Amino acid sequence: MANSKLTTFLITIFLFCFTVPSTAKSSTLVQEIKQQSPQQDKEPFVGVNIGTDVSNLLSSTDLVSFLQLQKISHIRLYDANPDILKALAKTKIRVIISVPNNQLLAIGSSNTTAASWIGRNVVAYYPETLITDIAVGDEVLTTVPSSAPLLLPAIQSLYSALVSANLHTQIKVSTPHAASIILDTFPPSQAFFNQSLTSVMLPLLQFLSRTGSPLMMNLYPYYVFMENKGVVPLDNSLFKPLTPSKEMVDPNTLLHYTNVLDAMIDAAYVSMKNLNVTDVVVLVTESGWPSKGDSKEPYATIDNADTYNSNLIKHVLDHSGTPLHPEITSSVYIYELFNEDLRSPPVSEANWGLFYSNSTPAYLLHVSGSGTFLANDTTNQTYCIAMDGVDSKTLQAALDWACGPGRANCSEIQPGEDCYQPNNVKNHASYAFDSYYQKEGKVYGSCDFKGVAMITTTDPSHGSCVFPGSKKVSNITRTVVNSTEASGAAERLKFNTFHSSQIGTTIAFCILLFIPFVTTV
């Protein structure tokens, strides 16, 4: 009997010692998700839109890994893609999901359909996947005006379904509008909503006010500039520093506007005030600048896209506010993450992305010192690698030049060295190209090799093979970057670190409990 009691006691100790750490880990994960700091979303942020008119879009898992690597914490989808929502679980990336325009009729005319949509696309994933908002349709009032009467009923039905699921305080419901719903945007003090839309806008704004939801606006200074060339200076559109004489001045308020986006945002606030709504914030759901255009789009250039988006990011993360509301900085979702190469003409339509679909940058943003957003997508950490689709003979010639006359350090791609495998010309050429590029100080033209090389912000290092561009980065930084390369890896790293001290304490306690019994035996 004594031996039986002893056995039972030892089993109890065993279960305590070896199940507590895993239980703690699980419960901590759930608590961390449930206790996501509301303050984080009160701080202005920069997110990205993810369109899917892309010929070779990354898999959902690879997409999420890429978002983590680029330190992108907020995204907007144009649907509620189940694979992406599943891949986002436990990543802390916040996501706006959307109801496509073609689903408005079904949802707006049936509470049951709305409830089913919420169950299928929200309840099934939240809170593991951090859904923050539901965007109902996109520019409905201007692109499909015949659906305008369905818009508010659809929004209200979805909100009611959130109430039933007790998620209405965590997830907001709104709809993105085109800037053209506002007339006379400059000076902002004279702006007002198109009066033909008042019957929809007034009850919509009242709903947004009542539920604490934002007014979603798609705002493009690019189009303002293109439609008003000679009136709106390019520098004002690109956030470039201006002398006081070049600032736009609202004659009614005497407020000075140094950029077009702030004027557009303030025009939205004035338009709402004209309808007696003063407590709804503006969320910019789209803004950006194309990096390539046709002959009729001469201002769609890499330099202008880089300047606009780099300055936009700094403007938001600096908490700059607007002249009318310096206390409120609107968060912005950049349009867009990837170039959508399947888009119809004009050329600019396929060139709004920060990256190509293979995750290489369309151009390099200058965002150093602007927090952690796109921390790896700057001119400070770039690599040179071989392009896809280049024939082996051409690559071999470029490789021979880099390791010969180019005097790149190619010792690491010799047999038996860390970067020899995989033993193919593309891998060896990428290493040699990067060695030459880094040796030359990453100057313009040092990553070309007759058109077979390209610059990337994604670290090409793999396994024990560390590329030359990564050798200049501290070991601490390398660890952080590598920890984000697999979906959820960054979170696992944090959880393992967090629990290591707890586990160590538990093991020490268990050893003390076992010592008397070991001594007795």
Side-chain angles (χ1 to χ4, degrees):
M1 183 65 109
N3 286 340
S4 175
K5 289 182 177 178
L6 176 61
T7 300
T8 301
F9 180 65
L10 291 175
I11 290 173
T12 302
I13 293 175
F14 178 84
L15 291 173
F16 171 77
C17 292
F18 294 98
T19 60
V20 165
S22 61
T23 303
K25 188 179 295 185
S26 175
S27 62
T28 302
L29 175 59
V30 173
Q31 284 298 107
E32 189 157 331
I33 289 172
K34 287 183 176 179
Q35 295 176 0
Q36 293 297 327
S37 171
Q39 187 61 33
Q40 180 170 341
D41 274 342
K42 290 180 181 177
E43 291 294 308
F45 59 82
V46 179
V48 293
N49 288 275
I50 303 178
T52 54
D53 285 339
V54 179
S55 55
N56 293 297
L57 187 64
L58 297 174
S59 69
S60 297
T61 301
D62 288 343
L63 172 61
V64 171
S65 296
F66 179 68
L67 293 171
Q68 291 178 307
L69 184 65
Q70 292 296 331
K71 305 191 189 314
I72 294 171
S73 59
H74 293 77
I75 63 172
R76 176 189 170 210
L77 304 178
Y78 288 91
D79 53 19
N81 185 297
D83 293 331
I84 295 178
L85 291 178
K86 183 178 179 181
L88 286 169
K90 303 175 185 177
T91 63
K92 296 185 181 178
I93 296 172
R94 287 156 161 75
V95 56
I96 295 178
I97 59 174
S98 301
V99 177
N101 289 347
N102 60 12
Q103 295 181 22
L104 286 177
L105 176 60
I107 291 175
S109 56
S110 169
N111 289 334
T112 302
T113 302
S116 175
W117 196 95
I118 291 295
R120 188 171 63 253
N121 298 301
V122 178
V123 176
Y125 302 102
Y126 190 88
E128 284 77 12
T129 297
L130 294 173
I131 299 167
T132 59
D133 303 78
I134 300 171
V136 184
D138 187 38
E139 301 188 352
V140 174
L141 301 183
T142 49
T143 58
V144 280
S146 60
S147 296
L150 300 168
L151 185 56
L152 188 56
I155 290 173
Q156 291 172 325
S157 294
L158 290 167
Y159 179 77
S160 296
L162 287 176
V163 171
S164 298
N166 198 28
L167 294 175
H168 58 293
T169 58
Q170 297 98 313
I171 300 171
K172 304 302 180 183
V173 187
S174 188
T175 182
H177 299 285
S180 58
I181 68 167
I182 300 173
L183 304 182
D184 290 348
T185 53
F186 200 87
S189 60
Q190 295 179 191
F192 59 95
F193 289 118
N194 186 327
Q195 293 180 350
S196 67
L197 302 175
T198 301
S199 61
V200 176
M201 287 304 301
L202 180 56
L204 173 60
L205 290 171
Q206 291 170 340
F207 168 85
L208 299 180
S209 173
R210 189 168 64 252
T211 60
S213 302
L215 174 67
M216 295 178 171
M217 296 294 302
N218 297 340
L219 304 178
Y220 289 95
Y222 171 75
Y223 289 125
V224 173
F225 169 74
M226 290 296 290
E227 293 164 7
N228 298 276
K229 282 182 289 187
V231 178
V232 177
L234 180 62
D235 287 354
N236 298 58
S237 303
L238 295 173
F239 291 94
K240 284 190 174 182
L242 304 173
T243 60
S245 62
K246 290 187 177 181
E247 293 177 356
M248 301 176 290
V249 180
D250 187 322
N252 300 311
T253 61
L254 299 183
L255 292 173
H256 287 237
Y257 286 85
T258 59
N259 65 82
V260 173
L261 184 66
D262 280 353
M264 298 177 81
I265 292 173
D266 277 354
Y269 280 119
V270 170
S271 298
M272 286 193 283
K273 187 176 181 180
N274 287 336
L275 294 179
N276 296 315
V277 176
T278 58
D279 58 352
V280 173
V281 299
V282 174
L283 174 63
V284 181
T285 37
E286 289 181 14
S287 193
W289 198 284
S291 60
K292 185 179 180 181
D294 57 31
S295 58
K296 295 181 180 179
E297 303 171 300
Y299 297 94
T301 67
I302 285 177
D303 284 345
N304 286 344
D306 171 20
T307 299
Y308 180 81
N309 284 319
S310 296
N311 287 338
L312 171 63
I313 292 167
K314 294 173 184 176
H315 188 68
V316 173
L317 299 185
D318 284 347
H319 296 62
S320 300
T322 66
L324 184 61
H325 286 291
E327 79 284 3
I328 304 173
T329 298
S330 290
S331 295
V332 177
Y333 288 81
I334 292 177
Y335 185 83
E336 56 185 332
L337 185 60
F338 298 118
N339 277 343
E340 295 188 83
D341 58 309
L342 301 180
R343 286 271 185 174
S344 301
V347 172
S348 63
E349 279 298 300
N351 289 280
W352 288 86
L354 300 176
F355 297 87
Y356 296 109
S357 60
N358 65 359
S359 77
T360 59
Y363 50 90
L364 298 174
L365 292 171
H366 294 69
V367 293
S368 297
S370 296
T372 58
F373 178 77
L374 285 173
N376 295 321
D377 185 29
T378 74
T379 50
N380 292 335
Q381 191 175 337
T382 55
Y383 311 85
C384 182
I385 61 173
M387 295 180 69
D388 292 331
V390 179
D391 66 89
S392 297
K393 185 177 179 180
T394 304
L395 272 184
Q396 186 65 55
L399 170 60
D400 292 343
W401 184 89
C403 294
R407 304 187 68 178
N409 183 354
C410 298
S411 59
E412 290 296 313
I413 53 177
Q414 303 305 311
E417 299 300 327
D418 286 343
C419 295
Y420 179 71
Q421 296 292 344
N423 180 21
N424 60 62
V425 66
K426 183 183 178 185
N427 176 65
H428 291 177
S430 289
Y431 187 93
F433 291 172
D434 192 53
S435 175
Y436 179 81
Y437 175 64
Q438 304 296 335
K439 177 178 73 72
E440 295 296 310
K442 300 188 284 190
V443 298
Y444 180 79
S446 61
C447 182
D448 181 66
F449 298 93
K450 295 187 177 180
V452 301
M454 66 180 186
I455 295 172
T456 179
T457 56
T458 302
D459 189 348
S461 302
H462 52 88
S464 59
C465 174
V466 180
F467 267 55
S470 293
K471 291 177 180 178
K472 298 180 180 181
V473 182
S474 71
N475 290 333
I476 294 176
T477 303
R478 288 259 319 139
T479 301
V480 172
V481 171
N482 289 340
S483 74
T484 63
E485 287 179 351
S487 179
E491 310 315 316
R492 290 195 294 274
L493 176 65
K494 290 178 182 176
F495 290 131
N496 290 340
T497 303
F498 177 77
H499 291 292
S500 61
S501 61
Q502 291 181 329
I503 294 170
T505 303
T506 303
I507 291 173
F509 176 67
C510 292
I511 291 172
L512 290 173
L513 288 175
F514 272 109
I515 286 174
F517 298 102
V518 174
T519 305
T520 302
V521 174

